[in-house]
Amino acid sequence: MLNKDEVIKAFMNIQLEENYNFLEEDLVTLANAFVKAAKPLIEQEERSKCIDIANMYDDFIGTKIMERRCD
Protein backbone atom coordinates (compact mmCIF):
# COMPACT_ATOMS: atom_id res chain seq x y z
CA MET A 1 0.00 0.00 0.00
CA LEU A 2 1.00 3.60 -0.43
CA ASN A 3 1.64 6.03 2.38
CA LYS A 4 0.23 9.56 2.51
CA ASP A 5 3.38 11.23 1.12
CA GLU A 6 3.58 8.83 -1.84
CA VAL A 7 -0.09 9.39 -2.68
CA ILE A 8 0.16 13.16 -2.47
CA LYS A 9 3.30 13.20 -4.64
CA ALA A 10 1.60 11.05 -7.29
CA PHE A 11 -1.57 13.16 -7.19
CA MET A 12 0.38 16.39 -7.61
CA ASN A 13 2.18 15.00 -10.69
CA ILE A 14 -0.90 14.10 -12.76
CA GLN A 15 -3.01 16.29 -14.99
CA LEU A 16 -6.75 15.95 -14.38
CA GLU A 17 -9.58 17.46 -16.39
CA GLU A 18 -11.04 19.16 -13.33
CA ASN A 19 -9.64 20.60 -10.11
CA TYR A 20 -10.40 18.31 -7.21
CA ASN A 21 -10.05 19.13 -3.56
CA PHE A 22 -9.78 15.72 -1.86
CA LEU A 23 -9.17 15.32 1.82
CA GLU A 24 -5.77 13.68 2.35
CA GLU A 25 -7.37 10.68 4.04
CA ASP A 26 -9.81 10.19 1.16
CA LEU A 27 -7.04 10.51 -1.39
CA VAL A 28 -4.98 7.84 0.40
CA THR A 29 -8.06 5.58 0.64
CA LEU A 30 -8.78 6.02 -3.07
CA ALA A 31 -5.16 5.39 -4.09
CA ASN A 32 -4.92 2.25 -1.97
CA ALA A 33 -8.19 0.97 -3.47
CA PHE A 34 -6.62 1.34 -6.94
CA VAL A 35 -3.48 -0.47 -5.77
CA LYS A 36 -5.56 -3.27 -4.27
CA ALA A 37 -7.56 -3.65 -7.49
CA ALA A 38 -4.44 -3.67 -9.70
CA LYS A 39 -2.31 -5.96 -7.52
CA PRO A 40 -3.73 -9.32 -8.72
CA LEU A 41 -3.36 -8.27 -12.37
CA ILE A 42 0.22 -7.15 -11.84
CA GLU A 43 1.08 -10.36 -9.97
CA GLN A 44 -0.47 -12.48 -12.72
CA GLU A 45 1.49 -10.65 -15.42
CA GLU A 46 4.72 -11.01 -13.44
CA ARG A 47 4.17 -14.75 -12.95
CA SER A 48 3.44 -15.17 -16.65
CA LYS A 49 6.66 -13.38 -17.59
CA CYS A 50 8.67 -15.50 -15.13
CA ILE A 51 7.23 -18.67 -16.61
CA ASP A 52 8.00 -17.46 -20.13
CA ILE A 53 11.62 -16.80 -19.15
CA ALA A 54 11.91 -20.19 -17.44
CA ASN A 55 10.45 -21.89 -20.52
CA MET A 56 13.09 -20.21 -22.70
CA TYR A 57 15.77 -22.03 -20.72
CA ASP A 58 14.06 -25.27 -19.75
CA ASP A 59 10.52 -26.37 -20.64
CA PHE A 60 10.38 -28.82 -17.74
CA ILE A 61 11.22 -26.14 -15.17
CA GLY A 62 8.78 -23.68 -16.74
CA THR A 63 6.02 -26.30 -16.58
CA LYS A 64 6.81 -27.11 -12.95
CA ILE A 65 6.78 -23.43 -11.98
CA MET A 66 3.42 -23.00 -13.71
CA GLU A 67 1.99 -26.06 -11.93
CA ARG A 68 3.25 -24.82 -8.57
CA ARG A 69 1.95 -21.28 -9.09
CA CYS A 70 -1.50 -22.50 -10.09
CA ASP A 71 -1.98 -24.50 -6.88
Side-chain angles (χ1 to χ4, degrees), residues 10-47:
F11 184 70
M12 294 298 187
N13 290 325
I14 61 172
Q15 299 295 322
L16 299 174
E17 294 292 323
E18 300 286 330
N19 290 329
Y20 294 95
N21 189 15
F22 289 106
L23 295 174
E24 287 180 357
E25 295 82 17
D26 289 341
L27 192 56
V28 170
T29 300
L30 183 61
N32 284 326
F34 288 138
V35 169
K36 185 177 179 180
K39 185 178 178 184
L41 300 172
I42 293 167
E43 289 173 345
Q44 181 181 5
E45 184 177 334
E46 183 177 318
R47 276 193 300 272

